[in-house]
Amino acid sequence: MNIDKLRTGMAQSILREVARALAALAATGARDAVDLRSLPMTAADRAELETALGRGEVSVTLQSAGRSEIWETRFAGVWWLRHFGGDDRIAAEVIEIAPVPDILVTHADEITAASALMLAELASMTKEAAHV
């Protein structure tokens, strides 16, 4: 028998863990994550899990240190993150239970730098317009 076609029950176990984490997020705001690459899942388990969680309305393709695909499942607050290596193989795969995945939250220092840049550009544009 092909091991990749074998369902081990791991998908159901992960679904129960995600359901508990989602209830905690709703009740207390506690974030959580499940590292799928660390679990002994078969291809059939992964397919079962992906089918059960489905896809919601939001999806993102991110290009930062490699390609990442991120989508909210049909359950608000449950995100599937799949990161690819240089060879386009899955390097990391996580289900994150959070309002927004950490990778999509802009760091405060980046916001400060962007604000300074935008203000400088606006000041420059104002000076140029005054000379016209």
Side-chain angles (χ1 to χ4, degrees):
M1 174 177 236
N2 184 344
I3 187 82
D4 284 335
K5 293 184 179 182
L6 181 67
R7 289 177 35 198
T8 67
M10 184 59 72
Q12 292 298 314
S13 179
I14 293 168
L15 286 168
R16 283 190 289 278
E17 184 176 343
V18 169
R20 282 191 298 273
L22 187 57
L25 176 65
T28 69
R31 303 166 70 97
D32 205 347
V34 178
D35 180 359
L36 298 177
R37 301 295 283 180
S38 69
L39 300 172
M41 294 177 64
T42 65
D45 291 331
R46 181 171 271 98
E48 179 183 359
L49 181 62
E50 197 165 343
T51 297
L53 291 175
R55 290 199 179 218
E57 299 172 346
V58 180
S59 65
V60 176
T61 300
L62 181 65
Q63 296 290 342
S64 176
R67 180 172 59 94
S68 297
E69 295 175 354
I70 303 159
W71 64 89
E72 189 171 36
T73 69
R74 65 189 181 97
F75 300 97
V78 178
W79 298 85
W80 193 304
L81 293 77
R82 188 175 283 157
H83 307 287
F84 295 87
D87 58 0
D88 214 33
R89 289 186 183 185
I90 298 172
E93 194 166 27
V94 176
I95 294 175
E96 192 170 330
I97 300 89
V100 176
D102 285 338
I103 196 169
L104 296 179
V105 177
T106 306
H107 191 274
D109 291 344
E110 292 175 347
I111 293 170
T112 300
S115 174
L117 176 62
M118 187 173 220
L119 290 171
E121 288 182 6
L122 284 170
S124 177
M125 288 170 33
T126 301
K127 285 180 186 175
E128 288 174 13
H131 287 94
V132 175

